[in-house]
Amino acid sequence: MDTTMNLIHVSPSELTLVSNIRDAKASDDLIASVREHGLLEPINAYRDDNNDLVVKHGHRRTLAAVAAELDQVPVIVTSAPADDLDGKTDLIAAQWDENQQRQNLTTREQAETIAQLAAFGISPAQISKRLRVDRSTVDAATTMTDTDTLDRYDLTITQAAVVTEFADDPSAVETLVRAASTGQFDHQAARLRQQRQIAEALADARAQWEAKGVTVLDGWPAYDSKDEWVDRLVDNATGQDIVIDPDDPGEHVAVRLDADFTTVLTATGKPVDPYELFEDDDHERPEDAVTRSQVHEELIVQTRWYCDNLAARGWRNRWSPTPPAEPTEADREQMRAERRDVIAANKAWLAAEQVRRDWLKTFCARKTAPKNSAGFVTATITTSPHLLSADRLRGERENYLTIPSTEGMSTPKATMTSLAMCLIAHEINTHKGSWRHIDPRTVSYLRFIEDQGYALSPVERRACGEHVDTEQL
């Protein structure tokens, strides 16, 4: 490619302006300055196949020179852009750099520039490299369906793409926009996606039951109701437990649907109590113990049958004729509040967990460790060495870190790798119950990543010992 560069003087009217990534406009101040002092910095241009001078850098200066009626302007003539799509993609990338340096592009202009390059068939990886923006921003800009969001709210491109996901839910949009100003955007987005998944699962299940002619119970029955859950009933004549045929439940029976992310055995899909799990390297665990590596979280729709007329079905409560005293309304409200809190905290933890682990993957890719990392690494090695020897660490670390040969590894890289291993060891030691039982090791881990720029969600702050109300989760 010809890389020669010549300085010439030509009339600004002889210069050709091509489509710019923003609507180039010369401000009144710029025009006045050019009229008084002339053009102090040359315009950069190249000659096209017709030998016309095409502006590469300096669109606004060219327009100002024309408006100021200058006879001549200095022009540096350089080689034409690479011959891909008539040089348009190289030209757009060059204009991106010039505009970002001189007068920052708005986020909308940035998104539309990225989308324009994608329309030319440039791959996301190439766009990311040419414009020096991260891949997540490129992906968001190329999939965004409503760039007007960038005009309405003060958001990044990636945040605006998320907001457009929830355009049909004004309340969710309001929540996300508010969270963007508090550093909680990613956490709120994870929670909203989680809630949407749950709502969709319930809607699908409801449609299936109603298609069978089964009544779906709305809400919870009143506490003073004379009706009862079927799993508490027996047959009057035989005393046997009642078993409902889901294909033909019969009269006076409705189904209650609930959906939540539940800890299940990977091998069978059977729910297990997450608070009764053991670590894989716990040598004192019982023979039939379930370990954390044997389970995963899964969205489960649960059903519970309800009968609104026990006498008509010939059923009765299996409890003794003299059951314990009924709880007071205050007791009931406390139990309801505790249940709401557990459900909300569990959901919040699972949503935060994904955000935190995504952040950790990015952090572990750093080339050098933060200056304050030595103390954290030392504390982990001296007080919690078993975390680094856990069987799960060897399997999980590949999700966060690629460790090349340690032979000849530089000191900064070795230090960062040691820190990453300690962080991963702490991360896999967390679980859905971490918010309920305060573990000093988890507190140390969460506070450390908070110091590195990670925004703790409310449930993670509760795991650190802070008081967080249910409504804040």
Side-chain angles (χ1 to χ4, degrees):
M1 176 185 294
D2 180 13
T3 58
T4 58
M5 182 169 62
N6 299 307
L7 177 64
I8 62 175
H9 289 77
V10 300
S11 168
S13 62
E14 295 181 24
L15 298 174
T16 300
L17 297 176
V18 297
S19 176
N20 194 275
I21 62 174
R22 72 193 311 171
D23 295 327
K25 296 179 181 178
S27 66
D28 292 339
D29 289 342
L30 180 59
I31 295 171
S33 175
V34 169
R35 182 178 289 117
E36 181 177 356
H37 303 292
L39 207 58
L40 302 179
E41 183 178 354
I43 293 165
N44 188 299
Y46 67 93
R47 291 196 181 276
D48 64 12
D49 293 340
N50 298 319
N51 206 36
D52 292 331
L53 284 170
V54 181
V55 175
K56 287 171 68 175
H57 306 303
H59 285 68
R60 283 189 295 274
R61 282 174 284 149
T62 301
L63 292 172
V66 172
E69 300 180 343
L70 296 187
D71 292 331
Q72 289 188 327
V73 292
V75 177
I76 294 177
V77 182
T78 59
S79 58
D83 189 22
D84 55 333
L85 295 169
D86 298 326
K88 290 180 181 177
T89 57
D90 272 2
L91 186 57
I92 290 172
Q95 291 171 353
W96 169 286
D97 286 337
E98 182 190 19
N99 281 300
Q100 287 290 69
Q101 292 170 10
R102 295 178 179 278
Q103 183 177 341
N104 285 346
L105 296 169
T106 66
T107 49
R108 176 171 183 158
E109 289 167 339
Q110 292 176 30
E112 291 176 344
T113 298
I114 294 170
Q116 185 178 357
L117 287 174
F120 287 151
I122 309 302
S123 71
Q126 290 175 315
I127 296 173
S128 177
K129 182 177 180 180
R130 290 188 183 207
L131 303 187
R132 295 188 295 281
V133 295
D134 60 85
R135 177 63 181 271
S136 62
T137 299
V138 174
D139 291 340
T142 54
T143 58
M144 192 183 307
T145 57
D146 180 16
T147 54
D148 289 344
T149 302
L150 291 165
D151 291 334
R152 290 195 293 269
Y153 309 112
D154 183 17
L155 301 170
T156 66
I157 292 174
T158 51
Q159 289 173 340
V162 174
V163 168
T164 59
E165 287 182 40
F166 298 92
D168 59 342
D169 186 346
S171 176
V173 171
E174 181 182 351
T175 297
L176 288 169
V177 172
R178 187 168 55 248
S181 64
T182 62
Q184 294 292 311
F185 186 92
D186 289 341
H187 291 298
Q188 284 293 349
R191 289 295 307 278
L192 288 169
R193 288 191 180 111
Q194 183 189 68
Q195 291 169 9
R196 178 163 286 188
Q197 282 181 278
I198 291 173
E200 289 173 351
L202 284 173
D204 289 344
R206 184 185 189 99
Q208 293 175 20
W209 282 112
E210 290 180 340
K212 295 180 180 180
V214 177
T215 300
V216 178
L217 200 63
D218 289 319
W220 290 94
Y223 274 102
D224 57 355
S225 172
K226 301 300 183 182
D227 311 321
E228 188 56 272
W229 297 107
V230 172
D231 53 39
R232 298 178 179 177
L233 304 177
V234 295
D235 186 273
N236 275 328
T238 65
Q240 297 295 313
D241 292 343
I242 304 301
V243 178
I244 296 294
D245 178 357
D247 293 322
D248 185 21
E251 296 181 347
H252 304 293
V253 171
V255 66
R256 161 77 189 183
L257 302 177
D258 283 298
D260 203 352
F261 287 89
T262 304
T263 305
V264 300
L265 273 170
T266 301
T268 65
K270 180 181 178 181
V272 296
D273 187 340
Y275 306 113
E276 294 182 358
L277 299 176
F278 288 79
E279 296 296 336
D280 292 75
D281 58 348
D282 187 346
H283 300 298
E284 297 182 0
R285 68 177 187 269
E287 279 188 29
D288 59 348
V290 178
T291 62
R292 297 194 186 282
S293 63
Q294 295 177 292
V295 302
H296 69 276
E297 297 294 324
E298 185 175 325
L299 180 55
I300 301 292
V301 177
Q302 297 177 328
T303 59
R304 193 179 186 189
W305 296 99
Y306 188 76
C307 179
D308 65 5
N309 193 328
L310 277 61
R313 295 301 299 264
W315 299 339
R316 61 178 173 81
N317 198 299
R318 65 161 56 89
W319 292 345
S320 64
T322 56
E326 286 290 316
T328 65
E329 184 55 35
D331 293 334
R332 290 174 178 143
E333 180 53 38
Q334 181 178 352
M335 289 187 288
R336 287 193 291 266
E338 290 174 353
R339 183 176 182 277
R340 286 194 299 269
D341 185 77
V342 170
I343 292 174
N346 282 342
K347 289 179 180 177
W349 183 267
L350 291 176
E353 183 177 75
Q354 185 59 56
V355 175
R356 187 177 65 252
R357 291 182 175 180
D358 287 343
W359 181 92
L360 184 58
K361 289 177 185 178
T362 300
F363 184 82
C364 287
R366 287 175 55 124
K367 295 181 179 179
T368 58
K371 293 181 179 180
N372 62 342
S373 60
F376 179 80
V377 173
T378 302
T380 300
I381 295 173
T382 56
T383 63
S384 307
H386 64 286
L387 296 182
L388 295 167
S389 63
D391 291 336
R392 290 182 65 211
L393 179 58
R394 287 188 287 275
E396 290 284 340
R397 72 183 182 189
E398 295 179 0
N399 295 327
Y400 300 91
L401 185 67
T402 299
I403 302 178
S405 172
T406 56
E407 184 176 352
M409 183 181 286
S410 67
T411 298
K413 181 62 176 178
T415 303
M416 183 60 216
T417 301
S418 299
L419 172 62
M421 289 296 291
C422 290
L423 291 172
I424 296 167
H426 278 283
E427 175 58 40
I428 65 175
N429 188 55
T430 64
H431 50 82
K432 194 162 67 173
S434 294
W435 65 267
R436 178 177 289 189
H437 306 293
I438 307 303
D439 185 336
R441 295 167 301 184
T442 300
V443 174
S444 174
Y445 164 58
L446 292 177
R447 291 305 188 191
F448 178 82
I449 63 175
E450 181 183 32
D451 290 341
Q452 310 315 312
Y454 174 75
L456 293 181
S457 67
V459 74
E460 289 167 325
R461 290 192 285 107
R462 182 184 282 190
C464 290
E466 294 185 36
H467 174 75
V468 177
D469 293 331
T470 305
E471 292 73 18
Q472 296 176 285
L473 294 173

